[in-house]
Amino acid sequence: QVQLVESGGGLVQPGGSLTLSCAASGSVFVISAMAWYRQAPGKERELVAIITSGGRTNYTDSVKGRFTISRGNAKYTVYLQMNSLKPEDTAVYYCNLDQWNPTRGRQNDYWGQGTQVTVSS
């Protein structure tokens, strides 16, 4: 199985910046994409940003122009740079892995425990 660990969350004021990190380990094969999701209290988890193995990125409209997803130099790492943070960005942020397992096929249900991001004055 794959293990994902997120870090970098914290409390910041509106307009501030924060960078989240995610590291994957375990049975990692061929990665198709890595993504960041977030979940506010009592609400469903939503996609924030995604980056494919080819480097293509996509973002939800609410974070476009403010957030940047990128791959790290280290293997199986992904980052989310968040600028101009707003109170509505407050949520637990999770990273997700989508990969091809030669034996089991596509696997995309790997999640970390999340890191809390709170934007408040």
Side-chain angles (χ1 to χ4, degrees):
Q1 61 179 17
V2 175
Q3 294 82 45
L4 297 172
V5 180
E6 304 95 339
S7 62
L11 193 157
V12 296
Q13 294 188 359
S17 298
L18 209 59
T19 299
L20 308 182
S21 301
C22 176
S25 62
S27 301
V28 180
F29 295 92
V30 181
I31 297 176
S32 297
M34 295 187 75
W36 284 98
Y37 287 72
R38 67 186 179 187
Q39 186 170 24
K43 297 185 178 179
E44 198 165 289
R45 194 170 300 182
E46 66 171 348
L47 176 67
V48 177
I50 187 169
I51 183 167
T52 70
S53 60
R56 177 177 171 81
T57 60
N58 203 1
Y59 303 87
T60 189
D61 288 342
S62 63
V63 308
K64 215 161 191 173
R66 300 188 298 120
F67 290 12
T68 302
I69 187 171
S70 63
R71 291 281 190 85
N73 291 328
K75 207 84 172 183
Y76 314 136
T77 58
V78 65
Y79 300 95
L80 184 67
Q81 180 180 310
M82 305 183 294
N83 299 322
S84 301
L85 284 163
K86 305 174 180 179
E88 51 262 45
D89 295 319
T90 296
V92 177
Y93 284 70
Y94 302 87
C95 64
N96 170 262
L97 176 70
D98 186 346
Q99 71 164 0
W100 174 260
N101 184 318
T103 300
R104 298 177 58 84
R106 185 181 181 183
Q107 298 177 311
N108 62 0
D109 196 29
Y110 294 113
W111 303 92
Q113 291 190 338
T115 184
Q116 177 70 50
V117 172
T118 302
V119 185
S120 176
S121 59

